[in-house]
Amino acid sequence: MQRRVNIWSNIDWLTVTIYLVLVILGWINIYAAVFNEDNQSIFDLSQRYGKQIVWISTAFVIAFIIFVIDINFYPFFAYFVYGIVIFALVVVLIFGTKVHGATSWLEIGNFRIQPSEFAKIATALALARYLSSHNVQINTLKSYIRIAVIILLPASLILLQNDTGSALVYFAFILVLYREGISEGILLLGFFVIVLFILALVLAKLTIILLSIAIVFIIFWFLNRRFKIVSLGLGILILNISVIYGLNELFKIGFSFYLVILIAIGISGFIYIILAIRHKIKKVVILLLFFIGSILFTNSVDFVFDNFLEPHQQKRINVVLGLESDPYGVEYNVNQSKIAIGSGGIYGKGFLKGTQTKFDFVPEQSTDFIFCTIGEEWGFAGTLFVVFVFTFFLYRLVKIAERQRSSFSRMYGYGVISVLFFHITINIGMTIGLVPVIGIPLPFFSYGGSSLLAFTILLFILLRLDASRLELLK
Amino acid sequence: MDSFANRRHIIRFIIILIGLIFAIKLFILQVADSTYKLTASNNVLRYVTQFPARGLIYDRDGKMLVYNEAAYDLMVIPRQLSPFDTTEFCQILNISKEYIDETIKKAKNFSNYNSSIFLKQVSSKTYATLQEKLYKYPGFFVQSRTLRKYTNENAAHLLGYVGEVDEKLIENDKYYKQGDYIGISGIEQTYEEYIRGKKGVNVYLVDVHNRIKGSYAAGKLDRKAEVGSNIISTIDSDLQAYGEKLMKNKIGSIVAIEPSTGEILSLVSAPAYNPELLVGRTRTKNFITLNTDTLKPLFNRALMAQYPPGSTFKVINGLIGLQEKVLWANTNYSCEGAYFSGRFRMGCHIHKSPLDFVESIQISCNTYYCNVFRSILDNKKYPSIRESFDQWRDYVMSFGFGQYLNSDLSNELKGLVPTKQRYDRIYGEKGWKSLTLISMAIGQGELGTTPLQMANMTAAIANRGYFYTPHVVKEIEGEFELDERFYKKNYTKIDSNYFELAIQGMDLAVNGEPGSGSTARLAHIPNITVCGKTGTAQNPHGEDHSIFIAFAPKENPQIAIAVYIENGGFGGTWAAPTAKLMIEKYLNDSISVSWWEDYILNAKINYNAETSKHME
Ligand SMILES: [Zn+2]
């Protein structure tokens, strides 16, 4: 059932105000980042700040148009829009223009767009549409597969465009799934896989296997809580290790210690299964499978890392993990960025007074590293304000999402939050050296038409749905 | 239905947690930690580019040809300028006040924050004076770089020169910045990537008095410059110097190649210029003078001048005839001082008649080759002349003519071997026959070849059927190998046994008995069997050009050479003795008959010394 409500009076004007503040602050910093005393006219279209004014105006017009469109359009056409975007991504892959090594630009006349920016909106819509369908149970294998397809299809196409940063954004949709009740077990497994991935790169294989043994026994203790059985299991393992180690030494077989432990685990595992069946102890098999899985996984990580990642990506990961020092490459950029921000002090050097970001030494300063300019010219006061505004903004969006009566609107709302949250966290985190350098823009701040328009559309569809939330009667 | 609403609290918690982590990290970065702060508010960071020295260039025996000398550029950062005493400044640097105003204005236009060059290549003496007083001039600093120096004035064309990058290049290649140097021709250009090394940067703290307070952040941000790789060229510098000496007061070129490797032993283009002229502050001025010189000293004739090959080409036509089996060693043609066909007549000189193949090369009979050439094109094996011509063209191209040899020197010319389409256009598809093309029988007419291609052809003959792509670099320090194309044998389409006959003829052309009609006796060297062939390129604009190709020794050849002397007339007169001197110099390192040397050295051939005085 629906009723008519005056949408203009129901718009969340607080969010619109925050949006305006962010866009204006963004523009001021783009102006500062590319400032040059000889070109001071803000409407100079040959300069980035001039172009950005055009983009901002366009964004306003589009925001207005979104408010005029009927809300039923979004769930109804969600899959259709998704289909178009996937098609565009394929086209880009074939006919795209290369910029900074990524083939993500589509040139139509002298107009250049980046479909990957708009794919986030389409994915958020399609995901909300799918999850809000009547008969969908999120925790079934069928749903897992379909959700994975919806999210990973655009992500892998973007990955093929060599734009790793934009592809990683799709991981953020886990937040939507979490909110909509995906099993904690699946999330924990996912989390464990990531931790294991990192551990596999950082630690030696021997350390990992010993650590895994410890973890498995601790889990077993929590599941079972019987001291006798746990210590029996441990005893069997230690005995096996000692015997095999002894034989290895005695007959000079020359197995490595790692191999000795593996063999001992194999024999012990066999004994465990027999004992478990005989004494009806549950979960031993699952734990064993889990253990074998993680051993296989850690062994394949090195393979994946060496064979599937490009050298510069390996380098970035290694630098952040502290495995590799690279003061002239990736680390150099991060260092420069930290200096720019750090040199801002408490109150900053003042508008247009920045020196670090004026040189070429902070890379991409009006796009991905725009936060440097804020840090340098406005100091801690400025960065704290921006971080606060962003946090408040996201907090507000959670509130908006939660007050939706239609589950489609709520899920779309969380899609918006996921994308924005990921962008903000990774972008700021990267400029202050907390996360690897992944080239994605800071929403509403970074220079660039495609990203500003995409974020505006993303946000204003939610505001449009929100403005009509009272139309739906339950 | 919505049973997971509680999870919203966790999501809110994560959002606030991240916000807090950022706030704390920013507090550490911007307030608590002083590592990233500058010591005093007025201090500035200065990024000084470290220019690596370009790689040195050596000759094949390890003698240094090109090295570097320090030079100092005075840089300016407009934003850091404050009013200063211009009179003293002008005095130290020997510049005018207008220059200061104009240059600073230009620098401001380029960038207020980045440094630009204020004055290029200040001498070390001026630099010493300036260094003491630099504290009076905030915004200025000195950046050291290197300039090319040459151990002698030879091989300018081959070594090439270095100049400033232009706007277009800066846009296309991120490595280069305004004011950087880049190799513009010769080895400097081809091997730029190796020679240039890698720029570095030093970050300094500078106080208000323009004094460097030290390295910023203990040099953590500095990047060391990497010195460029040294190059060992294939040039024999003594031979090169000798060749340039012989070519004084003449126009033309000499190219000498080691047949067993394709290595270029010397490459002379005359008139030449002193490479020192294109270095430093006078470069632009000198370049204009050289560029407007009527004798075109900047023009590399060895690679870019195209002449008909003349009678040297008879060797190629002979080889094609043998391979196509329309000519045999004992094929005799008689010559009555000219070749006649209907109303057509091509003259020849007086010599014994009839001649066999070997004698035809020794004596260089035009009539003989008119017959050979026509029998190739009128071969009944092919349905029409269009097919036999294509076949002939393939043979010629297999010697490297009519295409880029793809050496490691830029600006090579392709030369010209006409296509059948060309004749179709002029005469119609059925309108031409062998007689139409007859001038190519003796290497005249439409054929165009460069001296490098001719030396390469000579190397192919010396090798009895194959050549290595000619190149001027033997080794790049730190690199395992050169490009693989320099290690590949390129086979001609002629079987190697046919070459022995042609070489026999070339041997006799040089070493035949007096009175036997040998055309190149002036190239004879006692105890070394030189095999050669004379040629004369028709020149519609004046006296013909003198050509000589040769290799030696006959067995196990070590040098193949092509000599061109413009307006030198018959090939045997000037080109042959010049080639002989070069060969003797290379193989024996001494000259047996010194009056030959004087004969060549003192010759001024159609050379107006008045117009090119500055080249001396
Ligand atoms: Zn004759």
Side-chain angles (χ1 to χ4, degrees):
Chain A
M1 236 184 121
Q2 279 190 359
R3 65 177 172 192
R4 283 288 138 204
V5 172
N6 179 2
I7 61 159
W8 300 107
S9 60
N10 277 300
I11 292 175
D12 191 75
W13 289 107
L14 179 58
T15 308
V16 174
T17 310
I18 298 174
Y19 166 80
L20 288 175
V21 166
L22 290 173
V23 168
I24 290 165
L25 284 182
W27 184 84
I28 289 173
N29 284 293
I30 291 169
Y31 183 78
V34 292
F35 175 69
N36 175 331
E37 278 168 14
D38 301 314
N39 292 304
Q40 296 193 359
S41 160
I42 58 170
F43 294 109
D44 187 343
L45 289 183
S46 68
Q47 298 292 320
R48 288 192 156 185
Y49 45 81
K51 286 183 191 158
Q52 189 73 355
I53 284 193
V54 176
W55 292 120
I56 291 173
S57 319
T58 317
F60 289 172
V61 173
I62 287 177
F64 180 78
I65 293 171
I66 287 169
F67 273 107
V68 182
I69 297 172
D70 190 272
I71 52 160
N72 291 318
F73 172 87
Y74 300 108
F76 192 77
F77 285 104
Y79 289 154
F80 181 70
V81 170
Y82 182 79
I84 288 180
V85 165
I86 294 295
F87 177 73
L89 287 177
V90 173
V91 169
V92 161
L93 215 53
I94 302 166
F95 301 106
T97 312
K98 233 182 190 149
V99 176
H100 296 306
T103 322
S104 53
W105 297 86
L106 202 58
E107 255 168 53
I108 305 165
N110 48 15
F111 194 65
R112 219 165 54 164
I113 56 167
Q114 210 177 355
S116 55
E117 290 294 339
F118 298 95
K120 297 165 198 163
I121 308 169
T123 310
L125 284 171
L127 189 63
R129 166 72 198 271
Y130 176 72
L131 290 174
S132 64
S133 310
H134 293 302
N135 48 0
V136 170
Q137 288 289 316
I138 193 169
N139 284 313
T140 60
L141 186 61
K142 197 174 109 186
S143 297
Y144 287 157
I145 292 170
R146 295 202 176 164
I147 291 166
V149 169
I150 290 176
I151 296 175
L152 295 180
L153 184 60
S156 30
L157 286 171
I158 291 167
L159 201 62
L160 285 178
Q161 293 169 8
N162 220 354
D163 188 355
T164 322
S166 297
L168 286 175
V169 173
Y170 290 78
F171 273 110
F173 286 110
I174 287 172
L175 199 70
V176 182
L177 303 177
Y178 174 70
R179 172 61 185 83
E180 295 310 322
I182 200 165
S183 136
E184 269 148 342
I186 292 282
L187 286 183
L188 269 180
L189 189 70
F191 180 70
F192 188 73
V193 166
I194 293 169
V195 170
L196 221 54
F197 183 86
I198 294 169
L199 286 182
L201 293 177
V202 177
L203 303 175
K205 279 181 187 160
L206 186 66
T207 321
I208 293 173
I209 203 167
L210 292 175
L211 214 63
S212 306
I213 292 171
I215 290 170
V216 165
F217 274 100
I218 290 168
I219 296 173
F220 188 53
W221 164 253
F222 275 109
L223 292 173
N224 198 280
R225 293 197 185 264
R226 276 157 70 186
F227 181 73
K228 225 171 123 183
I229 292 180
V230 177
S231 48
L232 177 69
L234 208 56
I236 291 170
L237 184 65
I238 290 171
L239 186 73
N240 270 320
I241 292 174
S242 327
V243 169
I244 293 167
Y245 184 77
L247 290 174
N248 187 35
E249 288 295 295
L250 204 64
F251 296 105
K252 301 211 175 353
I253 302 170
F255 285 164
S256 69
F257 190 56
Y258 181 74
L259 200 59
V260 167
I261 291 187
L262 265 188
I263 296 169
I265 289 170
I267 297 170
S268 310
F270 193 66
I271 301 170
Y272 292 158
I273 290 171
I274 294 169
L275 287 175
I277 293 169
R278 193 173 291 169
H279 295 99
K280 299 201 171 62
I281 303 168
K282 286 178 197 165
K283 293 177 177 161
V284 167
V285 178
I286 294 176
L287 274 177
L288 268 175
L289 281 177
F290 170 77
F291 182 77
I292 292 166
S294 55
I295 295 300
L296 285 177
F297 180 75
T298 47
N299 276 299
S300 59
V301 163
D302 283 338
F303 181 77
V304 169
F305 188 80
D306 292 339
N307 293 290
F308 290 92
L309 292 184
E310 308 234 345
H312 71 271
Q313 293 166 335
Q314 295 175 2
K315 196 160 205 172
R316 283 176 191 180
I317 293 174
N318 282 340
V319 168
V320 168
L321 293 179
L323 296 177
E324 192 176 327
S325 176
D326 170 38
Y328 307 137
V330 186
E331 207 182 325
Y332 180 73
N333 291 348
V334 175
N335 253 321
Q336 292 292 353
S337 158
K338 278 177 165 173
I339 287 171
I341 295 174
S343 69
I346 301 178
Y347 302 111
K349 296 173 185 166
F351 184 48
L352 302 183
K353 299 262 168 55
T355 50
Q356 299 309 301
T357 50
K358 293 293 181 295
F359 294 104
D360 297 336
F361 291 92
V362 173
E364 303 290 324
Q365 69 197 65
S366 67
T367 55
D368 298 345
F369 281 85
I370 190 77
F371 198 73
C372 292
T373 311
I374 306 172
E376 191 185 9
E377 298 195 346
W378 303 98
F380 182 58
T383 54
L384 193 65
F385 178 72
V386 171
V387 168
F388 174 76
V389 173
F390 269 126
T391 310
F392 182 73
F393 178 60
L394 290 169
Y395 199 86
R396 181 77 192 163
L397 291 181
V398 172
K399 181 171 182 149
I400 291 175
E402 286 296 339
R403 73 186 181 199
Q404 301 307 310
R405 296 179 180 184
S406 106
S407 44
F408 172 81
S409 300
R410 183 185 65 236
M411 291 165 186
Y412 177 74
Y414 272 101
V416 175
I417 294 164
S418 312
V419 171
L420 292 176
F421 188 38
F422 186 87
H423 270 269
I424 294 163
T425 309
I426 297 297
N427 184 284
I428 298 181
M430 141 185 114
T431 51
I432 58 182
L434 286 177
V435 298
V437 175
I438 295 168
I440 54 173
L442 185 60
F444 313 117
F445 264 80
S446 292
Y447 166 77
S450 285
S451 84
L452 178 65
L453 293 187
F455 286 127
T456 303
I457 296 169
L458 188 73
L459 176 67
F460 277 81
I461 290 177
L462 176 63
L463 293 182
R464 174 69 186 89
L465 294 170
D466 178 60
S468 292
R469 69 185 183 280
L470 298 173
E471 287 177 13
L472 184 72
L473 292 173
K474 267 194 175 169
Chain B
M1 191 188 151
D2 184 13
S3 50
F4 295 96
N6 283 336
R7 286 189 172 179
R8 69 174 185 269
H9 300 305
I10 306 234
I11 292 171
R12 282 182 176 144
F13 171 75
I14 295 172
I15 290 171
I16 291 170
L17 184 70
I18 297 278
L20 273 178
I21 291 174
F22 282 177
I24 292 167
K25 175 76 187 184
L26 283 165
F27 179 80
I28 293 170
L29 210 58
Q30 298 187 284
V31 183
D33 189 349
S34 59
T35 321
Y36 295 109
K37 270 169 227 56
L38 309 181
T39 43
S41 59
N42 280 324
N43 282 351
V44 282
L45 293 189
R46 177 177 295 156
Y47 297 81
V48 182
T49 309
Q50 303 297 303
F51 291 100
R54 281 178 85 81
L56 310 178
I57 304 177
Y58 296 91
D59 89 337
R60 65 187 293 116
D61 302 317
K63 283 184 206 150
M64 193 190 286
L65 298 177
V66 187
Y67 61 105
N68 301 299
E69 157 186 78
Y72 305 92
D73 285 352
L74 185 59
M75 312 293 290
V76 64
I77 300 174
R79 208 177 105 94
Q80 295 173 7
L81 285 176
S82 59
F84 58 90
D85 176 6
T86 46
T87 325
E88 194 199 32
F89 198 61
C90 289
Q91 226 168 21
I92 300 171
L93 296 171
N94 192 23
I95 50 172
S96 66
K97 209 175 163 310
E98 290 75 41
Y99 179 87
I100 298 181
D101 295 340
E102 208 176 291
T103 318
I104 289 181
K105 205 174 136 206
K106 255 196 232 159
K108 270 186 181 159
N109 268 341
F110 166 65
S111 166
N112 228 347
Y113 300 93
N114 290 316
S115 55
S116 20
I117 298 176
F118 178 79
L119 190 62
K120 274 180 214 168
Q121 295 147 24
V122 180
S123 73
S124 347
K125 209 177 134 210
T126 313
Y127 170 63
T129 331
L130 185 66
Q131 187 70 340
E132 284 166 26
K133 305 206 165 150
L134 210 55
Y135 69 93
K136 291 186 190 167
Y137 310 105
F140 287 100
F141 68 96
V142 172
Q143 186 156 62
S144 71
R145 52 198 320 172
T146 56
L147 290 180
R148 283 311 216 188
K149 283 289 269 184
Y150 299 87
T151 52
N152 59 61
E153 59 180 53
N154 300 314
H157 288 111
L158 196 139
L159 297 169
Y161 60 94
V162 173
E164 258 178 57
V165 288
D166 57 20
E167 290 291 333
K168 222 177 116 195
L169 210 130
I170 295 172
E171 250 174 57
N172 292 334
D173 190 337
K174 282 239 151 61
Y175 178 83
Y176 297 99
K177 296 258 184 297
Q178 189 141 26
D180 282 1
Y181 293 144
I182 187 171
I184 294 182
S185 70
I187 292 178
E188 300 271 20
Q189 183 194 23
T190 313
Y191 294 93
E192 163 74 11
E193 209 189 312
Y194 303 99
I195 299 182
R196 72 180 179 198
K198 207 173 164 199
K199 281 186 289 189
V201 66
N202 277 359
V203 187
Y204 297 114
L205 270 174
V206 179
D207 71 6
V208 277
H209 304 296
N210 203 25
R211 279 186 297 236
I212 291 182
K213 302 288 279 186
S215 195
Y216 178 63
K220 209 176 166 202
L221 298 180
D222 294 357
R223 212 178 331 180
K224 252 201 187 135
E226 287 166 28
V227 180
S229 303
N230 295 342
I231 300 276
I232 296 163
S233 82
T234 61
I235 294 301
D236 181 311
S237 58
D238 294 337
L239 187 66
Q240 178 73 23
Y242 190 61
E244 293 197 20
K245 193 166 130 195
L246 293 176
M247 290 302 280
K248 278 249 158 71
N249 300 324
K250 298 162 197 75
I251 303 171
S253 57
I254 303 176
V255 179
I257 295 177
E258 183 177 71
S260 59
T261 55
E263 290 174 2
I264 296 176
L265 301 169
S266 78
L267 188 123
V268 179
S269 173
Y273 63 92
N274 186 342
E276 210 75 69
L277 288 173
L278 294 184
V279 179
R281 281 159 82 173
T282 49
R283 195 181 86 84
T284 317
K285 199 185 100 217
N286 290 337
F287 186 87
I288 295 168
T289 323
L290 289 172
N291 207 24
T292 48
D293 189 319
T294 51
L295 293 176
K296 297 190 189 162
L298 290 176
F299 181 65
N300 190 350
R301 287 176 166 79
L303 270 63
M304 299 168 73
Q306 186 175 305
Y307 316 86
S311 294
T312 59
F313 200 69
K314 286 173 183 165
V315 180
I316 303 298
N317 274 334
L319 287 168
I320 297 171
L322 293 168
Q323 180 75 27
E324 281 287 282
K325 304 226 174 347
V326 293
L327 172 68
W328 288 266
N330 54 8
T331 304
N332 279 272
Y333 288 113
S334 54
C335 171
E336 310 303 332
Y339 173 74
F340 299 96
S341 174
R343 267 195 243 160
F344 177 83
R345 175 187 183 277
M346 183 188 283
C348 190
H349 50 273
I350 304 299
H351 56 78
K352 71 169 210 172
S353 174
L355 302 171
D356 67 10
F357 174 62
V358 171
E359 288 166 328
S360 77
I361 288 186
Q362 176 193 3
I363 290 163
S364 193
C365 171
N366 288 347
T367 307
Y368 195 94
Y369 284 92
C370 288
N371 285 311
V372 170
F373 188 63
R374 292 194 72 181
S375 62
I376 295 170
L377 293 185
D378 296 336
N379 191 346
K380 291 283 175 297
K381 205 164 92 184
Y382 302 102
S384 79
I385 188 171
R386 300 181 81 251
E387 284 74 23
S388 55
F389 177 77
D390 266 352
Q391 193 62 41
W392 173 82
R393 187 170 187 274
D394 273 358
Y395 283 119
V396 175
M397 300 272 288
S398 75
F399 282 85
F401 294 118
Q403 61 200 304
Y404 297 115
L405 280 174
N406 217 353
S407 74
D408 50 1
L409 288 168
S410 51
N411 308 326
E412 249 184 54
L413 224 61
K414 264 167 97 166
L416 184 68
V417 182
T419 57
K420 63 182 176 210
Q421 284 80 5
R422 179 193 172 105
Y423 297 109
D424 289 349
R425 266 201 310 279
I426 303 173
Y427 305 104
E429 267 187 44
K430 295 226 158 83
W432 51 285
K433 45 193 187 354
S434 55
L435 195 61
T436 321
L437 317 183
I438 198 75
S439 52
M440 290 199 291
I442 56 163
Q444 307 292 354
E446 291 85 1
L447 287 170
T449 59
T450 65
L452 179 68
Q453 284 174 327
M454 292 299 279
N456 182 60
M457 169 193 89
T458 314
I461 297 169
N463 286 336
R464 278 79 170 163
Y466 65 86
F467 63 89
Y468 288 98
T469 302
H471 51 282
V472 288
V473 165
K474 204 177 165 71
E475 196 186 322
I476 305 165
E477 206 180 63
E479 295 289 318
F480 190 61
E481 274 187 330
L482 298 174
D483 193 281
E484 60 181 24
R485 69 181 194 274
F486 299 129
Y487 301 110
K488 205 182 101 215
K489 279 182 185 176
N490 303 288
Y491 283 92
T492 63
K493 294 194 166 165
I494 308 287
D495 295 346
S496 71
N497 55 316
Y498 295 125
F499 282 92
E500 291 302 341
L501 287 170
I503 287 168
Q504 194 55 39
M506 288 168 74
D507 178 358
L508 287 173
V510 177
N511 306 311
E513 290 300 309
S516 66
S518 300
T519 46
R521 287 187 41 81
L522 294 189
H524 174 79
I525 304 170
N527 303 324
I528 298 174
T529 318
V530 175
C531 303
K533 180 75 194 78
T534 54
T536 310
Q538 279 175 354
N539 175 16
H541 311 293
E543 181 71 33
D544 290 343
H545 306 317
S546 175
I547 310 173
F548 188 66
I549 61 157
F551 67 87
K554 184 179 180 186
E555 305 305 331
N556 188 21
Q558 289 168 40
I559 179 170
I561 191 166
V563 178
Y564 273 75
I565 293 174
E566 287 190 13
N567 314 112
F570 169 60
T573 325
W574 294 108
T578 306
K580 153 207 160 83
L581 290 169
M582 288 290 283
I583 292 171
E584 205 176 0
K585 173 83 183 169
Y586 182 65
L587 295 179
N588 286 354
D589 203 27
S590 63
I591 303 303
S592 54
V593 191
S594 65
W595 61 266
W596 267 122
E597 198 175 70
D598 299 336
Y599 165 76
I600 299 292
L601 285 177
N602 295 332
K604 279 187 188 172
I605 301 169
N606 193 24
Y607 189 92
N608 189 345
E610 228 19 70
T611 51
S612 60
K613 238 180 201 157
H614 55 266
M615 256 111 43
E616 301 295 319

